[in-house]
Amino acid sequence: MTRYGQRAAALLAAMLLGSASAHATVYRLDSPDQTVVGEDQSITTVYEDTLYDLARKYSIGSEELIRLNPGIDPWLPGAGKKVLIPGRYILPPGPHEGIIVNLPEHRLYYFPKPKRGQPREVITYPVSIGKMDWRTPLGLTHVIQKEKNPVWIPTESVRREHAANGDPLPARVPAGPDNPLGQFALRLAAGDGTYMIHGTNNPIAVGMPVTHGCIRLYPDDVAQLFPMVPVGTPVRIINDPIKVAWVNGELLLEAHPPVDAQGQSFEPNVDQFAQLLRDAVGDSTVAINWDYAREVLTRADGMLATVGLEADLSAPNDGAADPAPAPAAAAAQPAVHTASAQ
């Protein structure tokens, strides 16, 4: 085995057996209409780092972190590399209660009931979702059971798939290091109780579409979430690759690769994404920098970007719209036009 392969194998074993110390993912909501939480940051690697270690440490999906840091070897980044750590999120649309899982984002949001006299909070974690013909269900469901050290009883279809691949499964997998459910599981009403939010014995895969329809979290994240979630908690599973928010008159856009019915990510159709942006903006009168917005939609890396400004209809109109702010790289793009998303 090469030196590269030896180190990769050792790191993988450490990640499967060890316990990383994740950063807190609890954000205070200072007002009922707050739509954005968190901050992005940049860190400098040390020699021992891998992007998989950093993803788990900062509670980010490994694919997301790799996508945001192109050109950096995920296994051997080396010392002194600048790594962008995403941590700023637009809250998902709809009622902010219970658990919300946004499939394209590969992320779970939990809105616990606030304690008397205490501010509201949101807690967020990266997740894995269903793949291939194993579909993570959309819609509203709820937690029907909590299980510590769960026993995995694979369905007949799962056992047939494994048998066809030369990897037969027993009828029951007891709790322990070989159990893919990890140490904690929240059973959902969807699918007659066959779908769960649970941990994993393969944390390197969190953030990837690799499950049989269930929703997986890092072991440290599910250990934090499990005791907070009571039976009966509503769980809403959505498929929203585009999220927008207004902050101080600026239109923020967050775009993720869309997923198909089987949970697989695919390249976005920018024209369709642009229409989703128009739909999300609705009837608001806004000056959108469409050249920059299309760049953000094409990239679909989940980083928030300011793509428009709320129009001031009370100001004199000389027929020209002020351009929306954009990075220096986009400064030479054509001027934007005022649109009401029609």
Side-chain angles (χ1 to χ4, degrees):
M1 182 182 291
T2 66
R3 177 174 172 270
Y4 180 98
Q6 289 173 338
R7 187 178 182 210
L11 287 169
L12 178 57
M15 285 168 31
L16 292 179
L17 300 176
S19 176
S21 176
H23 277 216
T25 53
V26 181
Y27 301 105
R28 172 173 168 165
L29 300 176
D30 293 317
S31 67
D33 56 354
Q34 183 174 342
T35 55
V36 177
V37 296
E39 294 291 341
D40 300 323
Q41 61 180 306
S42 178
I43 65 168
T44 302
T45 60
V46 297
Y47 177 74
E48 295 80 7
D49 283 334
T50 74
L51 293 192
Y52 298 100
D53 291 326
L54 294 174
R56 185 172 178 183
K57 178 179 180 180
Y58 290 95
S59 195
I60 306 163
S62 55
E63 279 196 346
E64 178 184 8
L65 190 61
I66 293 169
R67 184 170 60 245
L68 282 172
N69 293 277
I72 296 181
D73 188 316
W75 282 111
L76 293 171
K81 297 291 177 59
K82 293 291 185 182
V83 174
L84 177 62
I85 304 292
R88 195 174 183 220
Y89 308 107
I90 295 175
L91 298 180
H96 289 165
E97 58 183 25
I99 291 173
I100 302 174
V101 178
N102 189 14
L103 300 183
E105 196 176 352
H106 291 83
R107 183 157 288 276
L108 177 153
Y109 296 84
Y110 176 49
F111 297 87
K113 290 185 177 180
K115 298 178 182 178
R116 180 175 297 180
Q118 298 295 317
R120 295 178 65 246
E121 294 178 334
V122 60
I123 309 167
T124 181
Y125 308 105
V127 298
S128 293
I129 64 172
K131 75 174 184 69
M132 303 300 289
D133 57 337
W134 306 96
R135 181 174 182 176
T136 299
L138 292 171
L140 183 64
T141 181
H142 62 278
V143 176
I144 60 172
Q145 187 180 8
K146 298 174 63 173
E147 301 176 43
K148 187 175 181 179
N149 297 318
V151 172
W152 183 39
I153 303 176
T155 63
E156 286 301 316
S157 59
V158 170
R159 294 184 67 194
R160 285 195 300 269
E161 181 206 33
H162 278 257
N165 293 332
D167 180 30
L169 290 174
R172 294 169 59 89
V173 178
D178 295 327
N179 191 317
L181 301 183
Q183 294 181 303
F184 302 95
L186 303 171
R187 191 174 296 276
L188 306 181
D192 296 325
T194 57
Y195 291 103
M196 290 181 280
I197 298 172
H198 60 80
T200 180
N201 64 345
N202 184 23
I204 195 174
V206 169
M208 302 179 186
V210 295
T211 79
H212 288 157
C214 287
I215 298 165
R216 295 183 191 172
L217 288 84
Y218 284 121
D220 10 341
D221 287 346
V222 74
Q224 183 186 49
L225 178 68
F226 182 83
M228 294 188 292
V229 177
V231 170
T233 296
V235 177
R236 188 160 54 92
I237 301 174
I238 63 176
N239 185 356
D240 287 340
I242 298 293
K243 296 188 296 181
V244 298
W246 289 103
V247 176
N248 298 325
E250 295 184 355
L251 176 63
L252 300 182
L253 169 64
E254 181 182 337
H256 297 269
V259 297
D260 59 22
Q262 289 76 41
Q264 293 295 298
S265 299
F266 59 93
E267 292 296 321
N269 180 305
V270 177
D271 290 334
Q272 292 178 0
F273 258 29
Q275 185 57 51
L276 289 176
L277 175 58
R278 293 186 182 95
D279 294 342
V281 171
D283 294 331
S284 301
T285 302
V286 54
I288 295 179
N289 184 328
W290 278 107
D291 286 338
Y292 181 52
R294 291 175 72 88
E295 177 187 324
V296 174
L297 294 170
T298 300
R299 207 165 55 232
D301 58 9
M303 294 295 294
L304 272 65
T306 299
V307 298
L309 295 175
E310 190 171 16
D312 183 1
L313 298 182
S314 64
N317 188 352
D318 60 2
D322 291 331
Q333 295 173 346
V336 300
H337 60 277
T338 301
S340 57
Q342 298 176 354

